Amino acid sequence: MTRAIDPAHSAPDRSFTMFDYAAAREHMIDSQVRTNDVTDPDIHNALRRVPREAFLPASKQALAYSDTNVVTDEGRVMMRPRDFAKLVHLADIKPTDVVLNIAAGRGYAAAVLSHLADTVVGVEETEEMADRASDLLMAQNVVNAAVVQSDLKSGAPEHGPFNVIFVGGAVDEVPKTWLDQLASGGRLVVVQPYGPVGQARLYTKTGNAIGDRIAFDASVPLLPGFEPAMEFVL
């Protein structure tokens, strides 16, 4: 006797589970941020409100919450969550601050900073990169941040002075033009190479005087054009 086959039970299960980015974001805060001495609830809330994956190309979205730097097609880096959060914490951003985001990339840092500051101005080298970042920010309903085209070493003096300058990648030397755009009492946070590792450094400005200190070790790729100058030995 031929047995009837129920198609509902015989067909292979082609369903799949969508990746839970919200859960991954919460796990990132708990396992990579809190455990590295970033306990400020305002920073946690800012990180919680911004989907990292939305600021990455589709081919890199699976890496959004991994403990690694993610380099995009444009040569910009989305810093590993631990280093990014500690750098934001180091900047000590106030709700009234105006922030300059150097090398804004696709706009992730600007989006997070926008939930901590009054205004965020990001700069990118090409109009295409600036427009893409601004579009991604608008898609996330970020209304107090925008990215403009400018040479990175020039910053955005027409929009300054800035209370905070946040650099979205490592640089060998901090250009004087950036420090000139800091308001008195302003802070600049950046990662600079030191031997095989990097060091996050805080620059502060009081009047015309600049001070700096090393805050923590961090491994962040150098921004193109900010590599150490070649030395020739005769």
Side-chain angles (χ1 to χ4, degrees), residues 5-25:
I5 299 176
D6 184 348
H9 291 88
S10 62
D13 183 6
R14 301 183 184 278
S15 64
F16 61 92
T17 303
M18 295 291 290
F19 187 78
D20 190 341
Y21 284 114
R25 197 172 309 125

Side-chain angles (χ1 to χ4, degrees), residues 94-135:
K94 307 293 193 299
T96 55
D97 283 345
V98 178
V99 178
L100 174 63
N101 179 200
I102 301 287
R106 288 173 169 251
Y108 173 73
V112 173
L113 299 174
S114 76
H115 293 296
L116 301 168
D118 180 79
T119 305
V120 180
V121 178
V123 294
E124 262 307 344
E125 287 187 320
T126 69
E127 286 190 15
E128 180 183 5
M129 293 172 72
D131 290 346
R132 179 190 290 118
S134 292
D135 288 346

Side-chain angles (χ1 to χ4, degrees), residues 75-76 153 170-173 193 221-230:
R76 295 291 180 257
K153 292 182 180 179
V171 302
D172 183 60
E173 292 187 7
L222 281 162
L223 287 171
F226 290 85
E227 301 89 350
M230 295 292 292

Side-chain angles (χ1 to χ4, degrees), residues 62-196:
L63 300 173
Y65 298 96
S66 60
D67 183 24
T68 187
N69 294 307
V70 183
V71 180
T72 67
D73 300 337
E74 302 87 3
R76 295 291 180 257
V77 61
M78 179 179 281
M79 296 182 198
R80 59 188 288 229
R82 178 261 188 194
D83 292 347
F84 176 75
K86 286 179 74 69
L87 207 60
V88 172
H89 186 260
L90 183 63
D92 190 25
I93 300 169
K94 307 293 193 299
T96 55
D97 283 345
V98 178
V99 178
L100 174 63
N101 179 200
I102 301 287
R106 288 173 169 251
Y108 173 73
V112 173
L113 299 174
S114 76
H115 293 296
L116 301 168
D118 180 79
T119 305
V120 180
V121 178
V123 294
E124 262 307 344
E125 287 187 320
T126 69
E127 286 190 15
E128 180 183 5
M129 293 172 72
D131 290 346
R132 179 190 290 118
S134 292
D135 288 346
L136 288 170
L137 288 167
M138 285 192 294
Q140 295 299 320
N141 298 314
V142 176
V143 298
N144 62 329
V147 180
V148 299
Q149 186 276 325
S150 176
D151 175 72
L152 297 187
K153 292 182 180 179
S154 298
E158 66 277 19
H159 297 289
F162 300 97
N163 306 106
V164 172
I165 297 179
F166 185 97
V167 185
V171 302
D172 183 60
E173 292 187 7
V174 172
K176 182 177 180 296
T177 50
W178 296 354
L179 298 172
D180 288 343
Q181 291 169 54
L182 274 180
S184 182
R187 290 86 65 203
L188 182 151
V189 292
V190 64
V191 175
Q192 294 183 270
Y194 185 79

